[in-house]
Amino acid sequence: MPNAKRILIVDDLPDNITVLANALQEYEKSVALDGETALQIARSLEQPDLILLDIMMPGMDGYQVCAALQDDPRTREIPVIFVTALDEVADEAKGLETGAVDFIIKPVVPAIVQARVRTHLDLANSRKELEKQNHLLKENEQLREHVDQMTRHDLKGPLNGIMNIPYLVMDSEELSQESRELLEAVVQAADKMLAMINSSQTLYQIETQRFEFNPRELDMGQLLDKVIASVRARSGQQVSICKPSPSQGQNKCFVWGDELLCYSILSNLITNAVEASPEQGHIQVSCRSDRDWVQMVVKNQGRVPPEIQERFFDKYVSQGKKDGTGLGTYMARLFTEVQGGSIHLHSEQDTTRIQVLLPATGPM
């Protein structure tokens, strides 16, 4: 019987073994008259796929054998079915607690034995197949992450070269204004790509709990100016900014955070607002500070669909945007939370507001 499943029958009475063996003629069978022999067979190279185990035996009883099987990593996954004359609920409960998968009461009915054995062999096969698939998925995920990391690292070298060349060319006095603007566009595109690579690496570190947060004092007003200038250059969209004016006695927006994370938060949220707004739509960005928190609000026309509002900051959630990946708002949430802040969505009628709170620091 090539590839036949192997059943180990354990009973101190040969007549009981004969009854079970006759009921399971389609399987290969091993037998043991005591618990010690059963454990030796179970730990051998030709392990059984399932064990039919009597409880009442001299020496090691079935409960002890089952417990020993469960304690051994080599035999822990072998399904055990108790076959016994004990029919009290307490006996069955004890057997299941010990690690058995099922209980058959003597005298046995061959059809029931066949059905129970077939069911638990199928379940064991399904479990093994799921474990194989899970292991394969983990290996594929590790491979993908390794390739992603290598790709990000390898992209930085040539990208830095792309960014430096336009600066060398722009030093020429013979360069036309149109050519200068084209080179500036190349620099801006390369700068955006480098920021995306850096953000992607940071996201991976946060998701794998390898990110080291080294905060410092940041002026969010200055950072907002940089982000909005970049967004305006790329999109041409109208973006207005409202930030504190120290000349009018207002506090500057100083946060205790990481510059790359904060830049990425603002860039992702403002870019998302631009993409979600109607043509010629107006985007407003504000920043204000109190003793404990810096609050930034990005406001745009348009409404987030109600069906995704609760999942708006989840990974890969996007709807209605061309080329949308659903990573921008997810990154904004993770980058905010890793800095001890919070992020909130308010979307109703024709207006969407995203509020970001980050710990404040610096002169107040």
Side-chain angles (χ1 to χ4, degrees):
M1 292 181 290
N3 300 321
K5 296 295 183 181
R6 182 183 296 274
I7 309 297
L8 171 58
I9 304 173
V10 186
D11 200 304
D12 62 310
L13 297 178
D15 288 345
N16 291 338
I17 291 177
T18 300
V19 171
L20 290 170
N22 289 336
L24 301 170
Q25 294 185 15
E26 62 184 288
Y27 304 103
E28 291 186 4
K29 291 168 284 293
S30 301
V31 299
L33 296 173
D34 56 72
E36 290 82 358
T37 304
L39 291 175
Q40 291 176 7
I41 295 173
R43 292 165 179 164
S44 67
L45 292 177
E46 294 186 346
Q47 281 191 321
D49 296 291
L50 183 142
I51 299 174
L52 294 175
L53 179 60
D54 185 25
I55 292 179
M56 304 299 293
M57 296 186 297
M60 292 184 73
D61 65 23
Y63 296 132
Q64 293 172 311
V65 174
C66 190
L69 292 168
Q70 289 295 304
D71 288 340
D72 190 334
R74 296 171 295 176
T75 58
R76 187 175 297 151
E77 301 302 322
I78 302 174
V80 175
I81 299 177
F82 278 128
V83 184
T84 179
L86 299 176
D87 59 359
E88 295 293 332
V89 173
D91 298 318
E92 184 172 354
K94 182 177 180 180
L96 296 174
E97 289 173 1
T98 306
V101 298
D102 207 343
F103 222 83
I104 297 175
I105 304 299
K106 295 177 180 177
V108 299
V109 176
I112 292 178
V113 173
Q114 293 166 2
R116 299 284 181 87
V117 167
R118 190 180 307 114
T119 295
H120 288 290
L121 285 174
D122 288 344
L123 288 173
N125 286 337
S126 297
R127 185 182 67 250
K128 289 178 182 178
E129 186 62 30
L130 285 173
E131 288 174 352
K132 288 181 182 178
Q133 292 180 11
N134 188 47
H135 181 69
L136 182 61
L137 286 173
K138 288 181 178 178
E139 286 186 340
N140 289 341
E141 179 67 15
Q142 291 173 352
L143 177 62
R144 184 188 67 81
E145 291 175 353
H146 182 61
V147 171
D148 285 350
Q149 289 294 96
M150 290 178 59
T151 301
R152 295 184 191 110
H153 180 269
D154 292 345
L155 280 174
K156 282 190 173 182
L159 189 56
N160 283 321
I162 292 173
M163 295 177 69
N164 291 330
I165 291 173
Y167 286 115
L168 297 175
V169 177
M170 282 191 287
D171 287 340
S172 173
E173 296 180 355
E174 300 178 359
L175 199 65
S176 68
Q177 181 61 30
E178 182 180 2
S179 297
R180 193 175 300 278
E181 290 175 355
L182 289 173
L183 288 173
E184 289 174 351
V186 171
V187 171
Q188 290 171 356
D191 186 61
K192 181 185 177 184
M193 185 178 295
L194 183 60
M196 291 171 64
I197 292 172
N198 289 333
S199 295
S200 178
Q201 288 180 316
T202 302
L203 177 63
Y204 172 76
Q205 291 171 350
I206 292 174
E207 288 183 324
T208 55
Q209 298 182 342
R210 300 175 189 175
F211 179 71
E212 294 184 8
F213 182 40
N214 297 306
R216 64 181 182 87
E217 189 175 75
L218 300 173
D219 186 338
M220 293 303 291
Q222 292 182 359
L223 207 57
L224 269 173
D225 288 337
K226 293 180 183 179
V227 173
I228 290 176
S230 175
V231 172
R232 283 174 178 164
R234 295 197 310 267
S235 68
Q237 196 88 334
Q238 292 296 316
V239 182
S240 65
I241 181 172
C242 176
K243 58 184 181 179
S245 173
S247 63
Q248 298 178 5
Q250 298 172 337
N251 297 324
K252 280 191 174 182
C253 293
F254 288 97
V255 303
W256 190 244
D258 178 283
E259 184 171 4
L260 173 62
L261 297 185
C262 290
Y263 186 96
S264 180
I265 292 167
L266 295 172
S267 179
N268 278 312
L269 294 181
I270 295 173
T271 300
N272 185 72
V274 168
E275 293 174 350
S277 295
E279 281 190 43
Q280 307 304 318
H282 193 67
I283 293 92
Q284 295 177 323
V285 183
S286 64
C287 177
R288 66 183 181 86
S289 178
D290 58 28
R291 182 172 299 276
D292 299 316
W293 299 97
V294 167
Q295 174 185 273
M296 290 160 291
V297 175
V298 179
K299 182 179 178 181
N300 64 274
Q301 296 170 280
R303 185 185 185 189
V304 176
E307 59 269 25
I308 69 168
Q309 288 187 15
E310 291 186 2
R311 301 178 291 112
F312 184 72
F313 296 108
D314 291 350
K315 197 172 187 178
Y316 303 131
V317 173
S318 180
Q319 183 169 320
K321 289 194 303 177
K322 184 180 179 181
D323 301 325
T325 63
L327 284 175
T329 52
Y330 171 71
M331 290 171 66
R333 176 175 66 83
L334 257 61
F335 291 2
T336 299
E337 292 175 348
V338 80
Q339 297 181 94
S342 61
I343 189 168
H344 311 276
L345 169 71
H346 307 276
S347 187
E348 54 188 7
Q349 296 179 349
D350 295 323
T351 303
T352 294
R353 293 172 61 252
I354 296 180
Q355 177 194 58
V356 176
L357 294 173
L358 290 173
T361 187
M364 302 299 291

